[in-house]
Structures are given as C-alpha cells and as structure tokens.
Amino acid sequence: IVLAAVATADDALAARAIADLGAPADRTEADLLLAAHLALIHDPEGWIAAPLDVERFRSWLPGDSSWAALIDGIEFMVAFVAGRSGVERSWWTGETDPAVLEADTARRDAIEALVNAMRGRGTRALDALHRRWRSHGLDTEPLFEVFILHAFVLVILGADDERLRVALRRRIAVARAADRQDQLHLLALADAALHLGRNDARSMFSSLQFVETEPRTYITIWLDLLRACAHVLERDLGGAAELLQRVDRVPDSWAGGSFGAVREIARTLFELATDQPTIASRRALVAAHRASEVLPAAALTLLRLAQTAGVPTDRLLERALVLAETADLPQLEPYIWSLRRAGDRIGLRSLEVLTPREREIVTMAMRGIPSAEIARRLHLSVRTVESHLHHARTRLGMKRSQRFADISPEASGPEPVPVLQAHGLLHPRLHTG
C-alpha cells in the first residue's frame, strides 16, 4: 500500500500506511520503506515539509554495518541536494569492508559518483564507477538503482557511447515488459537527456513517450524541461515557451541548484532559436558563472552556447580557464584546446581592433553562418553584413578572398551546440566498456 500510494502521489495515504507499519521487520522491508520515504521528500517543497530523518533509518537495523553504510550514502546525497554544509566530509574512502554487502557498496559508490559528477569532479566520479565495473559492466549491472545512477553520471560528464544508448534501450524494454512505470520514468529521463546531448529531438520525443503514467512531481519537472528543449530543437517555439513557463515556477535552488543551471541552458537555447543572440550571450555568460559552483558541467555547456551566440574567443578562453581551476571535466580540456587553436589561427587580441558589431558578425561568420542568415538574425541587410566583414578583413590584415569560416577550426552550422555533452573529442575514460 505504501509503495502504491507513493507511485500515485497519494502522500496522505502513504504517510498513514508508513505510520501503521512502524519499524520494518527485516532488510527487505527496510529497503522498501526507505524508497518510499525518499520519493516523498524529493518534490521541490518536500525538503522543508518532510525532512529526511536519517537517524530513524539507522535505528531500523541497529548493528547492521551494511545498512549503516547505505544510510551514510543517502545522508551524503540528501545533504548535497539540500545544500547543507558538511557535505565535504570524507564519508567513504573506497576501502573494502567485509561487513558491508557488495550491493550496498555498489549503491554507495554510485551515490558518490553522482555527487562528484555534479560537483565537476570527473576523475573521482569515474573512479567510483570503475570500482563497480571491475566485476559488473554497465550493461550487465543487476541492480537497477546502481545502473540508473551510473547512467546519469555518464550523461552529466558528457559521455556519448553506443553501449550506453543500447543499455538504456534494453532496460526500457525490460521495464515495459514488467510494467515498472517507476523505472520507466527514470530511464526515459536519462535516455532523453542523452539524446539532448546529440541535438536529436526525434529520439528525445521517442524516449519521452515511454512515460505512460503521471510521474512524481520531481520527475515531471525534469521531463518538462527536456520536452521544452526538444520543442526548441524542433522549432516548435510555442510548445517550448509553454513548458518553460511551467518550469519557471520551480526555485533555482532546487536539487542543489542544478535545476536552475540546466534551466538556463534551455532558456539560452530558446533565445538562440528566436534570433536573440545578444540576449542569449549575456544570459549564457552570467549563468555559466553561477553554474560553475553548483553544476560545472552545465557551465561548460553554457560557454559553448555563448560561443554560438557570438561571444569572442578570447573572452570564452578566459572563462574556460577559470572554470578549469576548480572543475575536472573530461570535455573541458579539449574545449580549451580548441579555443586556443582558434586564437592561434586568427590572433585572439586581433579581434580587439574590431568594433562590437564587427566582432559579433565576424564570430558568427567564423562558425560558417552565411551572410544572409547573419543578416536575418541581427535584423540587418545582407549588404550591411558584407560591409562589416569587408572592414573586418581590412582591420585584421586578411586577403579580400579569404573566408572567415576557412580560418576557424570550429566552423559549424547555425544549429545550437550539443546541450548535455560536447561535440568533438570524447575523453577515453568515458567509454563505458
């Protein structure tokens, strides 16, 4: 009754049933009741209305070292998401404790990996995953909660691996056959986020259609945000605006501030799609600075979107180097390298001789955007754009026949860059094999 009430968001019934049950009789009941309590507190208002009573959970199975180790991990995760201090304590060293069950060690490692990924500690996150992969691969992981946490870690860090996509689709098929709607909600969320990193709106909608029942509020919020991004990629701006208006009601601080950071990505995408590059660039830079403290991976994505919006390379490089001082992201080093290569090709400081409008137009031209498209986005005539490009060539000492797209190492089309992972070199540690 408790689990059914939680699944259908009947929190009053769930609370009454939990009270009637009292303390669990064994580990199986303890696991089920813990899952119910966690579901009840995940909603945006839940952190205040129903704080997690960790000590109560510990008292369920006194003297059980394995259960205590799992509760340590839960406490660590909840403290991080709630933004409480003291999260930095070293609660887990990776040492093997024979009294702790293998499954509980795997759960604890997965929680550690997720928190580290959110904090921008890529190497530490992947090390935690690899401890489990020594005995179980991603696609053969027997514990669903461990698999889904591993999948989210890889998505956050920018993995784009065929085996991850196949593993998610296989799990979706199994969950559908077993009618496990609770698992389908999380799998659809991870799969859609993975395809968002590839700008693949069609696959995103395909993933989201597996959600056949109304999820808990905290999952619905993330699903709405992903749907908004998919609508932007499909140029359905009306549908995107409606969904963004809905998720705007959620506080920026929710989920440890990570939700606010990802929502800024969606807003920036929307502004790029509605031909507002100046507004998009400002939003992306401000949001990247804020995200560097709560979700560094989102900060990197926002810098890439700022690049699409026309922010000069030297300014992006400066921001990326600052981010690298505190974040260990597999995709960050290749991005910095690409910015430096762009600076070597044209001379970063040379752009300072251009006027702000010339710099904006040149940056877009360097990404391969045609003059007609630049004119349309900036509400200028094509002749005016060509005049600015001509003057910029003169100031930069370029030949009249030289194209800006030819000297840019990152020339691409006018489409937005990938959202939750970066195009280009994939760090070898991200391969899930």
Side-chain angles (χ1 to χ4, degrees):
I1 292 175
V2 170
L3 294 177
V6 168
T8 57
D10 190 342
D11 294 351
L13 175 59
R16 289 197 301 271
I18 288 174
D20 291 342
L21 278 174
D26 53 31
R27 176 60 192 268
T28 300
E29 284 191 10
D31 283 334
L32 294 175
L33 275 179
L34 178 62
H37 277 281
L38 290 174
L40 288 173
I41 63 140
H42 271 310
D43 291 345
E45 297 82 12
W47 297 109
I48 299 175
L52 196 65
D53 190 350
V54 176
E55 294 308 316
R56 178 188 179 191
F57 300 151
R58 292 187 196 281
S59 69
W60 286 349
L61 301 174
D64 188 330
S65 300
S66 193
W67 174 254
L70 174 61
I71 299 304
D72 281 346
I74 298 296
E75 182 181 20
F76 179 70
M77 182 65 188
V78 170
F80 167 75
V81 173
R84 293 200 287 268
S85 60
V87 180
E88 294 300 327
R89 64 189 178 86
S90 179
W91 66 279
W92 171 233
T93 62
E95 297 177 358
T96 302
D97 182 349
V100 179
L101 298 175
E102 178 189 0
D104 289 330
T105 299
R107 293 184 179 100
R108 189 168 60 175
D109 281 348
I111 292 171
E112 179 195 8
L114 181 62
V115 172
N116 279 323
M118 294 176 70
R119 285 192 175 278
R121 299 167 182 164
T123 300
R124 289 172 60 177
L126 292 171
D127 284 345
L129 265 59
H130 289 156
R131 288 199 290 266
R132 179 63 170 176
W133 290 350
R134 294 190 190 109
S135 58
H136 298 80
L138 176 69
D139 51 350
T140 58
E141 172 57 57
L143 300 173
F144 174 80
E145 62 270 32
V146 172
F147 169 82
I148 196 65
L149 287 174
H150 284 198
F152 281 125
V153 168
L154 294 170
V155 169
I156 290 170
L157 294 180
D160 183 15
D161 190 282
E162 180 63 24
R163 292 185 65 182
L164 175 58
R165 292 195 293 273
V166 170
L168 281 168
R169 289 291 168 161
R170 184 181 296 124
R171 297 275 179 160
I172 287 174
V174 172
R176 293 187 72 191
D179 196 24
R180 288 297 304 270
Q181 292 296 318
D182 54 337
Q183 293 184 3
L184 275 173
H185 297 160
L186 294 172
L187 290 167
L189 186 63
D191 200 46
L194 183 64
H195 288 294
L196 175 58
R198 299 167 59 86
N199 286 346
D200 187 349
R202 180 173 298 180
S203 294
M204 288 180 68
F205 284 125
S206 176
S207 303
L208 295 170
Q209 74 179 1
F210 294 126
V211 179
E212 299 175 352
T213 60
E214 186 68 25
R216 298 284 310 185
T217 302
Y218 73 94
I219 295 180
T220 299
I221 290 169
W222 286 107
L223 291 174
D224 282 347
L225 192 57
L226 286 171
R227 287 191 181 96
C229 292
H231 281 295
V232 169
L233 295 178
E234 286 278 277
R235 302 292 175 174
D236 178 7
L237 302 181
E242 182 179 348
L243 287 165
L244 285 175
Q245 186 176 15
R246 187 185 305 174
V247 300
D248 276 346
R249 303 166 188 165
V250 181
D252 285 341
S253 59
W254 184 58
S258 60
F259 180 80
V262 178
R263 181 168 54 192
E264 288 300 276
I265 292 175
R267 288 169 172 167
T268 304
L269 280 172
F270 184 83
E271 287 161 356
L272 286 170
T274 52
D275 298 322
Q276 303 179 78
T278 302
I279 296 176
S281 63
R282 291 173 182 169
R283 177 186 296 280
L285 289 177
V286 172
H289 175 71
R290 294 173 179 169
S292 63
E293 298 181 359
V294 294
L295 191 63
L300 175 56
T301 297
L302 286 160
L303 288 180
R304 290 183 172 275
L305 291 176
Q307 187 173 9
T308 300
V311 174
T313 304
D314 55 343
R315 193 174 180 187
L316 291 169
L317 178 58
E318 180 183 355
R319 294 293 189 94
L321 290 173
V322 171
L323 180 62
E325 292 177 359
T326 57
D328 168 28
L329 298 171
Q331 296 291 351
L332 183 53
E333 184 179 345
Y335 180 62
I336 290 174
W337 175 80
S338 67
L339 290 175
R340 281 179 167 154
R341 188 175 65 170
D344 291 341
R345 290 289 186 87
I346 63 173
L348 288 176
R349 297 301 175 187
S350 65
L351 291 181
E352 294 180 356
V353 304
L354 304 180
T355 66
R357 176 63 86 181
E358 287 171 350
R359 192 158 52 237
E360 182 179 31
I361 293 173
V362 165
T363 305
M364 296 174 73
M366 287 172 58
R367 298 193 58 79
I369 302 176
S371 297
E373 177 64 12
I374 295 174
R376 187 182 69 82
R377 293 189 181 192
L378 301 182
H379 306 290
L380 301 172
S381 68
V382 175
R383 182 174 180 178
T384 299
V385 169
E386 291 291 352
S387 177
H388 281 303
L389 291 175
H390 169 72
H391 290 299
R393 287 189 183 91
T394 302
R395 294 175 190 270
L396 295 172
M398 296 170 55
K399 298 179 181 178
R400 293 184 60 184
S401 59
Q402 194 171 7
R403 298 173 66 249
F404 285 99
D406 293 338
I407 64 172
S408 171
E410 294 187 307
S412 63
E415 296 302 316
V417 296
V419 177
L420 292 184
Q421 68 94 24
H423 276 322
L425 303 177
L426 179 65
H427 196 281
R429 291 177 61 84
L430 282 175
H431 285 290
T432 56

